[in-house]
Amino acid sequence: MNEKKSYYITTPIYYPSGKLHIGHAYCTVATDAMARYKRLCGYDVMFLTGTDEHGQKIEDKAREAGVTPQEFVDNIVAAPGGVLDLWKLMNISYDRFIRTTDDYHVESIQKIFRKMYDNGDIYKGSYKGKYCKPCESFWTESQLVDGKCPDCGREVMDAEEEAYFFRASKYADRVRDLLLNTDFLEPKSRVHEMVNNFIDCEGGLQDLCVSRTSFTWGVPVDFDPGHVVYVWLDALFNYMTALGYQNEKYNDLEKFWPADAHFVGKEIVRFHAIYWPAFLMSMGLPLPKKVYGHGWLNFNGDKMSKSKGNVVDPHLLSQRYGVDALRFFLLRSFPFGSDGNFTNELLIQTINNDLANDLGNLVSRTTAMAEKYFGGNLPEGCGADEVETQVAELVRNREISGAVISQHGGRPEALIDLELVREAAGLRAAYEGQMERFQFQNALNAVFGVIQRANKYIDENAPWALAKDMEANGARLAHVLYNLLETIRVCTVLLIPFMPESCDKIFAQIGADKTARTWDSAAQWGVLPATVSVTKGDNLFPRIDMDKELKELDAIMEEAKKAALPALEVEPFLEEQVDFDTFCKSDFRAVKVKACENVKKSAKLLRFTLDDGTGTDRQILSGIAMYYKPEELVGKTLVAIVNLPPRKMMGLDSCGMLISAVHTERGEERLHLLMVDDAIPAGAKLC
Ligand code: MSP
């Protein structure tokens, strides 16, 4: 029996310490596209993702939240709106999800730690150095940048503890060789950074501290209570424990190890390209074939821990634009190996240009014309002719020559047809070359080049003009539409890894059955039957009104900012005491509002005419116009302090002050005039 080839690809396992943002989704979407691509090509794929749940940061956060660390991580991973939900929403087709708190993983890590201890690669010592708590990393003085953590730029603290160490230094030469003389780490630009900064640096590759005693939330070292295994050793081995290494839970090592590709963000390349292979060398295990360090999505130059004026919540973004549009945007707009700047504007632009204008338009124009001119069923005989099929075949075998094209019957329109056929039939090879090198953006460029070519083909052939004389031009018109359907089909097959759901919808519209959706069929021409049934469906990617949308996103962010502010704040109580006699000197009276009006040229002031029980009207000015309309207040019984010296405001005398209650709600100041029972007569003293 012909066994399928296997392919094992992983994402980093995420820290469930807070909400995932679009930057986290970036790597997972890329891995998903790669996994789907390999499945499309016929591989038996294992796509692993998961969560990295131990460490001091989680322990601290759980304490702050008043829950156990396990409850804390459960809540972020498995609760509604958590990591698992997000991956479901983003249509992430992982085959296995590992949590480092899973029993089988914990058991495996304990065995691995003991084995490395037994083989002499882990030894006990004492650690003195600088520690970055958020990154859970120890640094030497010389590794710090401006005295701060070189990874995240935050403050580090002095730390000393008894600890176990891994003899990384022993593997320095082998790791250097791996990095410099193989394709283990890509893109190549990251290789020298690793070798220069961590291996050929002053002092060489340092042994790595692999246990902690200052907190307890980790895998316990079973032969030395009080020590827990360093999170990175614990986390990196997930790639193997999830296949059954050192446990009975799974049995897939033989089939899937070594991994074909680990996708990781650039800041964790160090762990994957230096310590991970060294750990594996120590255990005598085969090394993964590739570590690919992708770039970051930045927000105005910063890694996006804070959003800086853009909506970054993947739940919200996919709700507004659709999951496929979001997935597509991430891989279409940024070269995978470099950093990119994320903005909502770029997202909307990409959706409008590529999806609405180019792809959406091509599909809707073609299917609409097939319905309008042929009732959705193209006539017999409009399919690929012999020369077209032959050209496609030659392109597929990379043997194309101009001769075949020029031989084509001398019909001028045939040249245009063959150009389209040639581009569409050659697309798969170009795309494959890019996908194999993880160049998603280039792969999509190739597909969209053909989509744009097909849109041009519509304009060149002007089907609406052909349709004016169906008797003379009907056959040509049908052939033009057939060529467009075939081009759409080929492009759609290649878009499956990026936008699986939309591709299904397009296939349904152009009448492509299962056999017309395969990898093989993407390099063939004439796969759809000539009499294919076409049904125009809903608009797949509606155009977004940029200005309106950006305004709405701004409003959403304002709301979110407000929601993050405290619901209620009151002024702190005064520390200073006031003696009773001084207090009694304040004369508070009930007053009735006889008239109230806005003060001209003032946005704030209201002018009150008040009955204070003396028989003479009292005038008070109060800066509360943004809280009340004057007419609302007439007739109300209020409280005023009446023995303040008069003050001039906007040229008017204010004789006293009205008493209000003030507080802050979600960052906004609120004010309520103190209104008392109308039964209280004007002038009654309040004491
Ligand atoms: N737990 C470790 C990985 C252990 S793998 C054995 C970790 N977790 S993380 O949650 O902090 O990050 C997960 C991944 O998200 C990393 O690859 C990181 O680079 C990536 N990203 C986080 N923010 C990102 C962007 N703004 N842009 C792109 N990727 C980003 O590291």
Side-chain angles (χ1 to χ4, degrees):
M1 215 172 69
N2 215 349
E3 263 220 15
K4 274 188 176 182
K5 276 199 285 179
S6 64
Y7 188 82
Y8 180 31
I9 186 163
T10 68
T11 69
I13 49 172
Y14 291 83
Y15 276 128
S17 62
K19 267 191 149 185
L20 295 195
H21 53 61
I22 191 75
H24 293 115
Y26 181 50
C27 182
T28 309
V29 167
T31 315
D32 186 65
M34 199 61 202
R36 287 179 188 270
Y37 159 72
K38 284 289 174 180
R39 288 190 201 111
L40 183 65
C41 297
Y43 284 77
D44 188 352
V45 171
M46 168 66 78
F47 167 10
L48 174 73
T49 188
T51 41
D52 176 8
E53 304 187 358
H54 291 125
Q56 184 162 12
K57 191 155 87 184
I58 302 278
E59 189 176 283
D60 289 351
K61 288 222 162 193
R63 192 177 310 113
E64 273 166 37
V67 294
T68 64
Q70 190 64 58
E71 283 166 346
F72 182 83
V73 291
D74 285 352
N75 194 37
I76 295 183
V77 177
V83 179
L84 287 167
D85 259 10
L86 177 63
W87 295 157
K88 195 166 167 201
L89 171 78
M90 300 288 296
N91 211 351
I92 303 300
S93 63
Y94 61 82
D95 299 289
R96 199 157 287 171
F97 191 96
I98 185 170
R99 299 180 60 177
T100 54
T101 51
D102 289 339
D103 289 345
Y104 76 92
H105 173 79
V106 170
E107 171 202 324
S108 315
I109 293 300
Q110 289 181 324
K111 288 190 199 157
I112 291 165
F113 197 90
R114 179 181 276 279
K115 271 180 178 272
M116 285 189 184
Y117 181 74
D118 288 346
N119 75 17
D121 276 349
I122 285 182
Y123 63 92
K124 199 169 190 175
S126 122
Y127 195 89
K128 214 174 175 179
K130 303 284 177 191
Y131 187 61
C132 174
K133 208 167 166 184
C135 295
E136 320 221 10
S137 287
F138 273 99
W139 302 98
T140 60
E141 198 77 50
S142 66
Q143 286 173 320
L144 301 180
V145 175
D146 298 330
K148 303 210 167 117
C149 171
D151 272 356
C152 72
R154 278 178 275 214
E155 296 291 340
V156 290
M157 56 192 194
D158 286 316
E160 180 171 6
E161 57 185 53
E162 184 193 59
Y164 286 92
F165 285 82
F166 170 70
R167 264 183 231 288
S169 52
K170 179 173 157 190
Y171 297 99
D173 289 341
R174 282 178 65 191
V175 174
R176 183 196 295 101
D177 182 55
L178 174 74
L179 294 178
L180 291 177
N181 300 322
T182 72
D183 291 331
F184 174 77
L185 175 61
E186 284 191 357
K188 284 280 172 228
S189 54
R190 309 216 184 271
V191 168
H192 287 284
E193 185 196 328
M194 286 298 122
V195 173
N196 297 343
N197 294 354
F198 301 106
I199 302 179
D200 291 342
C201 55
E202 209 184 299
L205 180 59
Q206 305 283 311
D207 287 355
L208 180 72
C209 182
V210 287
S211 79
R212 299 283 186 267
T213 51
S214 51
F215 60 90
T216 56
W217 184 240
V219 176
V221 174
D222 55 1
F223 55 88
D224 196 347
H227 286 261
V228 292
V229 175
Y230 175 44
V231 272
W232 273 103
L233 193 148
D234 167 6
L236 285 162
F237 269 101
N238 91 87
Y239 300 131
M240 289 196 71
T241 62
L243 298 181
Y245 183 61
Q246 299 293 335
N247 64 67
E248 301 290 313
K249 169 99 174 160
Y250 297 111
N251 191 15
D252 298 307
L253 275 169
E254 204 180 314
K255 184 161 181 193
F256 290 111
W257 193 258
D260 291 275
H262 294 311
F263 279 3
V264 304
K266 65 176 185 180
E267 87 286 17
I268 58 173
V269 163
R270 178 167 74 103
F271 295 99
H272 286 82
I274 294 181
Y275 300 116
W276 180 223
F279 289 156
L280 293 168
M281 287 170 188
S282 165
M283 298 291 285
L285 292 164
L287 306 183
K289 293 176 201 160
K290 180 87 63 205
V291 168
Y292 193 92
H294 66 77
W296 279 345
L297 291 196
N298 289 329
F299 265 126
N300 306 324
D302 258 12
K303 193 186 164 193
M304 62 171 82
S305 23
K306 297 212 176 64
S307 88
K308 290 221 178 139
N310 282 289
V311 171
V312 296
D313 174 5
H315 290 277
L316 199 140
L317 293 174
S318 36
Q319 227 171 40
R320 290 185 87 78
Y321 312 119
V323 171
D324 276 353
L326 188 58
R327 291 170 56 105
F328 171 79
F329 159 73
L330 289 173
L331 300 174
R332 166 73 162 143
S333 308
F334 312 104
F336 194 47
S338 330
D339 290 355
N341 204 27
F342 175 99
T343 62
N344 291 139
E345 197 173 340
L346 181 63
L347 167 60
I348 299 164
Q349 232 170 45
T350 311
I351 294 175
N352 281 348
N353 292 348
D354 292 345
L355 297 182
N357 284 3
D358 288 352
L359 176 60
N361 234 347
L362 176 64
V363 175
S364 70
R365 288 207 286 175
T366 306
T367 51
M369 289 189 290
E371 278 195 349
K372 186 170 171 196
Y373 303 136
F374 297 99
N377 283 308
L378 297 190
E380 218 48 88
C382 73
D385 72 15
E386 233 171 73
V387 182
E388 285 164 351
T389 323
Q390 197 190 347
V391 164
E393 188 59 24
L394 290 172
V395 170
R396 200 147 83 112
N397 299 328
R398 296 167 203 243
E399 288 168 2
I400 188 71
S401 80
V404 187
I405 291 187
S406 57
Q407 270 173 27
H408 190 39
R411 288 191 296 122
E413 71 273 11
L415 284 181
I416 309 174
D417 293 352
L418 286 181
E419 219 180 285
L420 184 70
V421 171
R422 184 155 64 154
E423 285 200 26
L427 177 59
R428 196 189 78 170
Y431 166 97
E432 185 178 11
Q434 298 296 344
M435 291 298 280
E436 288 298 325
R437 293 187 292 124
F438 314 124
Q439 298 304 303
F440 305 109
Q441 190 184 40
N442 292 347
L444 287 170
N445 280 345
V447 176
F448 276 76
V450 176
I451 289 173
Q452 281 152 11
R453 183 69 195 78
N455 273 319
K456 197 170 142 214
Y457 179 84
I458 297 185
D459 300 336
E460 285 166 346
N461 285 288
W464 44 91
L466 293 174
K468 284 191 182 135
D469 185 350
M470 285 300 272
E471 211 170 304
N473 303 324
R476 172 70 193 150
L477 177 57
H479 189 57
V480 166
L481 292 180
Y482 180 85
N483 285 344
L484 287 167
L485 290 171
E486 268 295 275
T487 311
I488 293 172
R489 183 189 65 75
V490 167
C491 293
T492 307
V493 172
L494 302 179
L495 287 173
I496 292 174
F498 301 90
M499 303 190 287
E501 281 175 357
S502 307
C503 290
D504 275 348
K505 289 182 190 154
I506 298 175
F507 285 134
Q509 292 193 21
I510 63 167
D513 65 9
K514 267 193 172 164
T515 56
R517 303 178 183 196
T518 63
W519 177 245
D520 280 348
S521 79
Q524 286 162 356
W525 191 256
V527 173
L528 288 173
T531 53
V532 57
S533 285
V534 177
T535 345
K536 183 172 164 20
D538 290 339
N539 190 353
L540 289 165
F541 307 105
R543 240 192 109 71
I544 300 166
D545 178 334
M546 174 77 86
D547 289 343
K548 190 166 157 253
E549 182 64 15
L550 288 178
K551 276 194 197 119
E552 283 181 26
L553 292 178
D554 276 348
I556 287 173
M557 273 186 315
E558 271 309 304
E559 277 304 304
K561 256 192 236 156
K562 270 195 208 155
L565 290 169
L568 176 71
E569 279 178 295
V570 293
E571 285 218 10
F573 286 31
L574 296 179
E575 297 263 318
E576 196 187 334
Q577 296 199 328
V578 59
D579 66 72
F580 190 69
D581 289 345
T582 311
F583 166 71
C584 286
K585 285 183 192 157
S586 309
D587 195 0
F588 291 101
R589 301 286 169 159
V591 292
K592 304 228 178 230
V593 182
K594 290 175 76 175
C596 181
E597 61 184 21
N598 288 100
V599 172
K600 275 186 198 127
K601 294 191 185 154
S602 167
K604 284 189 185 165
L605 286 178
L606 291 183
R607 180 164 92 102
F608 288 84
T609 306
L610 301 161
D611 173 4
D612 62 2
T614 59
T616 312
D617 287 348
R618 175 180 291 270
Q619 173 169 289
I620 291 183
L621 302 173
S622 183
I624 57 171
M626 51 288 208
Y627 300 107
Y628 291 102
K629 290 198 183 91
E631 58 274 19
E632 287 175 54
L633 297 171
V634 176
K636 300 286 186 211
T637 309
L638 309 178
V639 175
I641 175 167
V642 293
N643 60 338
L644 290 174
R647 261 176 82 191
K648 271 229 180 312
M649 297 157 96
M650 302 290 286
L652 298 166
D653 278 334
S654 180
C655 303
M657 199 174 88
L658 293 169
I659 306 300
S660 308
V662 286
H663 71 279
T664 308
E665 209 173 294
R666 302 245 179 254
E668 247 174 63
E669 228 177 38
R670 305 277 165 154
L671 177 143
H672 300 270
L673 268 176
L674 200 63
M675 296 187 193
V676 292
D677 193 334
D678 287 334
I680 301 172
K685 185 170 170 70
L686 282 93
C687 51

